[in-house]
Amino acid sequence: MTTAHYRRIVLKLSGEALSGTNGYGIEPRVIQSITKQVKEVAELGVEIAVVVGGGNIWRGKVGSEMGMDRANADYMGMLATVMNSLALQDSLENIGIPTRVQTSIEMRQVAEPYIRRKAIRHLEKKRVVIFAAGTGNPYFSTDTTAALRAAEIEADVILMAKNNVDGVYSDDPKLNEDAKKYDKVSYMEVLNEGLGVMDSTASSLCMDNDIDLLVFSITEEGNIKKAVMGENIGTIVRGK
Ligand code: UDP
């Protein structure tokens, strides 16, 4: 059996990654492609936790720009991540992958509450654990959730799957054709140069806790497995 480079991973999917080309809602064909890729990795024996965003349904910032109370708008965003998590769970279980959804906001009829030790136990039993409802706190993001959960469960890496870019660039590659793609970059550079990787709260948390991050494109099938095998795709972001 081929051995994976990582033992335990956090896979961060943005909400948009589930929406396909229209950028809104949930596209079953796209979810199926992702879950097929997750299955390939699960079959290698890798322990997989997934953090999914909600931007394909609702973003708190947009609500607050429309005049809503920011905290309320953020709770709506967190609920959007629960919808995405249930869609992922459904698709994974359809292809025989056991999963558990844990929510940071209690909703026991829908999913388990987040309990760190229980999450680790599920991972050891090779269940894919989907962390829903972000951190449970407004003013945070699901990137920060990925960083926090990765630290808590002692994951080896965060795999940040992007659907619009294949790594970290010196500038927006869609607007500047001279933008340079990095193979490796540090969190300090990400923060100092304002590179579009993740928000500064998430970057700081990763930096302070020495969590490696691999930014790569999910649009090419098989890339999650390549990432897990340690192949040179995307950009690796490290503490130093
Ligand atoms: N959110 C929040 N606290 C968290 C995580 C998420 O308030 O800990 C809200 C926030 O409003 C955010 C929305 O949930 O806009 C969706 O999450 P995010 O924007 O991170 O999703 P993504 O961009 O990954 O799709």
Side-chain angles (χ1 to χ4, degrees):
M1 187 173 120
T2 41
T3 39
H5 191 67
Y6 301 111
R7 172 193 54 97
R8 179 177 291 167
I9 62 166
V10 169
L11 175 66
K12 166 69 209 310
L13 299 169
S14 69
E16 268 172 29
L18 309 187
S19 67
T21 46
N22 58 11
Y24 185 80
I26 297 170
E27 171 71 50
R29 187 186 47 79
V30 176
I31 295 210
Q32 280 157 18
S33 149
I34 295 172
T35 50
K36 224 171 84 195
Q37 295 193 55
V38 171
K39 186 176 184 184
E40 285 177 354
V41 174
E43 283 167 352
L44 296 171
V46 176
E47 297 175 10
I48 308 165
V50 182
V51 172
V52 63
N56 55 325
I57 300 171
W58 182 262
R59 276 184 211 284
K61 212 160 166 260
V62 176
S64 102
E65 279 160 13
M66 294 182 328
M68 281 185 74
D69 172 71
R70 173 69 193 261
N72 256 345
D74 277 343
Y75 280 117
M76 288 173 65
M78 286 183 262
L79 293 177
T81 72
V82 179
M83 292 173 67
N84 285 334
S85 299
L86 294 181
L88 263 181
Q89 176 175 47
D90 187 77
S91 184
L92 281 165
E93 298 218 323
N94 264 335
I95 54 170
I97 305 288
T99 66
R100 293 291 185 274
V101 175
Q102 291 201 342
T103 59
S104 304
I105 298 170
E106 267 201 37
M107 45 182 96
R108 285 174 185 267
Q109 288 81 355
V110 175
E112 288 178 11
Y114 171 63
I115 299 170
R116 187 182 74 91
R117 293 173 72 102
K118 215 165 162 189
I120 291 172
R121 190 81 192 108
H122 289 320
L123 290 168
E124 288 167 350
K125 289 189 169 174
K126 308 297 180 199
R127 297 171 183 141
V128 172
V129 180
I130 304 170
F131 293 125
T135 61
N137 302 289
Y139 295 96
F140 287 91
S141 67
T142 51
D143 286 352
T144 301
T145 311
L148 177 64
R149 296 292 181 246
E152 287 182 280
I153 66 168
E154 296 178 6
D156 301 323
V157 70
I158 299 173
L159 300 184
M160 177 158 287
K162 297 274 190 187
N163 62 336
N164 48 8
V165 69
D166 63 350
V168 182
Y169 284 79
S170 56
D171 198 359
D172 186 340
K174 288 199 185 78
L175 304 176
N176 177 0
E177 59 182 31
D178 294 328
K180 179 175 139 257
K181 184 177 162 194
Y182 296 107
D183 281 337
K184 258 193 233 159
V185 70
S186 71
Y187 287 110
M188 200 47 99
E189 287 169 289
V190 167
L191 287 163
N192 286 343
E193 289 163 36
L195 303 177
V197 178
M198 61 201 326
D199 57 82
S200 57
T201 312
S203 295
S204 304
L205 198 55
C206 286
M207 182 170 73
D208 293 349
N209 293 288
D210 240 333
I211 300 166
D212 288 357
L213 174 84
L214 179 70
V215 182
F216 69 104
S217 164
I218 200 177
T219 46
E220 256 171 75
E221 268 200 34
N223 260 3
I224 302 180
K225 185 170 177 185
K226 284 186 188 160
V228 165
M229 297 305 290
E231 283 188 34
N232 190 15
I233 58 165
T235 301
I236 188 97
V237 190
R238 290 216 165 92
K240 286 131 209 147

